[in-house]
């Protein structure tokens, strides 16, 4: 893992659990998120995470659509969740 | 939950060399709270000029050990944090941590189930917390660990895994992908479907699987376990990578 090549740069939502908990005030990796593009539902902890850019990007595991974007600036934190839907509760 | 989000100052109590690239730091925490095996802590280092770098490291110790945690850190040569933690830190040093963090990749005795663990390299760390907790809590259901390392010298926690495997229903299988010592009886290739089938078969299809390692290994293992008949919702994965630097 000392070779930072290609796919090794991809982590998962677990890696940003601390940042997400700081933003939302609670543990978020077990929360379900639905991809706004293809409808795939995953735990936030299972989404593909790209953390080596200036911001954090979480993508859909099926179609790679950007679901969550987080950028810290000196004064505030910007969160963009346009690629994510909240899944409908299971029908009883 | 709230308290886990607050930074606290950890003090280094012990430093232990695991392999040439890996060290375990025992940290004493003023606001220690029990973690769930598989959880991690964020470590924040701040330079005198205010520049700070933050990384996540899995807890290797079991929650039964109160007041302190073990973080096992692999040195990434061009990393910002791991060279400091592995090469510079001495007993008595202090730095900021927050945690325990994460609820997705966790297992404890209340979850139960036959346990199937697959590790690549330092991905064994959160799985070791599960196995240490399993032993401390006296869990009787079987567990199996498949551990992929490049060489024999790069196996982390080797002696302790042998001790654990001798006494309580834990089976450990190794695969050494780069070189093997003379007389090696374990696997000698990258993890593949045949290996996953052999290791998982004795546990049956209701095993709960945790896979942790570099992305490529995690994908091969998770897909292979599904092909071996394990339901996708019984397979949890965590990718380790240079963010751990």
């Amino acid at each position: 893992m000392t070779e930072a090549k290609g796919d090794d740069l991809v982590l998962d939502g677990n890696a940003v659990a601390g940042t997400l908990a700081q933003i939302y005030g609670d543990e978020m990796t077990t929360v379900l998120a639905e991809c706004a593009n293809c409808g795939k539902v995953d735990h936030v902890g299972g989404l593909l995470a790209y953390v080596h850019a200036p911001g954090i990007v979480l993508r859909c595991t099926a179609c790679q659509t950007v679901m969550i974007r987080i950028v810290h600036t000196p004064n505030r934190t910007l969160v963009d969740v346009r690629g994510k839907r909240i899944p409908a509760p299971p029908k009883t | 939950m709230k308290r886990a989000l607050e930074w606290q100052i950890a003090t280094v109590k012990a430093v232990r060399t695991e392999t040439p690239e890996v060290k375990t730091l025992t940290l004493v925490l003023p606001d220690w709270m029990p973690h769930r095996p598989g959880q991690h802590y964020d470590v924040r280092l701040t330079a005198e000029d205010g520049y700070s770098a933050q990384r996540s490291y899995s807890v290797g110790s079991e929650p039964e050990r109160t007041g302190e945690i073990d973080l096992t850190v692999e040195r990434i040569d061009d990393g910002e944090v791991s060279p400091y933690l592995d090469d510079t830190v001495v007993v008595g040093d202090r730095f900021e941590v927050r945690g325990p963090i994460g609820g997705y990749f966790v297992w404890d005795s209340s979850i139960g189930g036959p346990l199937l663990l697959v590790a690549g390299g330092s991905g064994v760390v959160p799985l070791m917390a599960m196995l240490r907790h399993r032993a401390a809590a006296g869990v009787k259901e079987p567990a199996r660990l498949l551990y992929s390392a490049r060489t024999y010298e790069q196996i982390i926690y080797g002696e302790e895994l042998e001790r654990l495997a001798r006494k309580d229903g834990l089976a450990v299988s190794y695969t050494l992908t780069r070189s093997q010592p003379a007389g090696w009886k374990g696997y000698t290739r990258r993890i593949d479907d045949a290996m996953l089938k052999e290791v998982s078969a004795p546990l049956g299809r209701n095993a709960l699987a945790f896979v942790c390692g570099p992305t490529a290994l995690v994908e091969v293992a998770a897909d292979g376990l599904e092909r071996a008949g394990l339901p996708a919702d019984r397979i949890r994965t965590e990718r380790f990578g240079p963010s751990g630097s």
Side-chain angles (χ1 to χ4, degrees), chain A residues 4 6 8-11 16 49-57, chain B residues 55 241-245:
Chain A
D8 275 358
L9 289 173
V10 187
L11 298 176
V16 293
Y50 296 78
V51 301
H52 294 270
I56 293 166
V57 173
Chain B
R55 297 291 185 273
S243 92
S245 60

Side-chain angles (χ1 to χ4, degrees), chain B residues 25 28 39 59 64 77 97 106 113 125 129 137 140 145 160 178 190 195 200-201 205 221-222 225-226:
Chain B
L25 308 180
V28 175
Q39 286 190 305
V59 180
E64 285 78 5
D77 284 336
V97 303
V106 298
V125 176
K140 297 289 179 245
L145 168 67
E160 188 179 348
R178 185 168 291 172
R190 284 170 181 266
M195 197 185 297
S200 64
R205 293 192 176 176
L225 288 174
E226 261 192 79

Side-chain angles (χ1 to χ4, degrees), chain B residues 111-165:
Chain B
I111 298 172
L115 205 51
L116 176 61
L117 310 177
V118 181
S122 61
V124 75
V125 176
L127 307 182
M128 192 63 182
M130 296 177 191
L131 290 176
R132 285 168 167 161
H133 165 65
R134 180 180 171 278
V139 174
K140 297 289 179 245
E141 286 158 307
R144 299 176 75 88
L145 168 67
L146 172 60
Y147 184 0
S148 173
R150 288 187 184 130
T151 67
Y152 188 76
E153 292 70 32
Q154 283 169 294
I155 292 175
I156 306 169
Y157 311 132
E159 286 176 19
E160 188 179 348
L161 284 169
E162 263 176 46
R163 276 202 306 279
L164 289 174

Side-chain angles (χ1 to χ4, degrees), chain B residues 66-100:
Chain B
T66 56
E68 58 186 45
I69 55 167
D70 282 353
L71 300 184
T72 298
V73 180
E74 179 177 28
R75 185 178 60 241
I76 309 293
D77 284 336
D78 56 357
E80 288 185 312
V81 176
S82 66
Y84 169 76
L85 295 178
D86 271 350
D87 300 340
T88 312
V89 159
V90 293
V91 170
D93 280 353
R94 292 145 64 86
F95 51 82
E96 285 182 295
V97 303
R98 70 172 175 194

Side-chain angles (χ1 to χ4, degrees), chain A residues 8 10-12 14 17 27 29-30, chain B residues 40 103-104 215 238-239 242-243:
Chain A
D8 275 358
V10 187
L11 298 176
D12 54 41
N14 303 313
E27 155 59 28
T29 53
T30 53
Chain B
H40 65 258
Y104 175 76
T215 283
E238 177 157 272
R239 297 153 196 264
S243 92

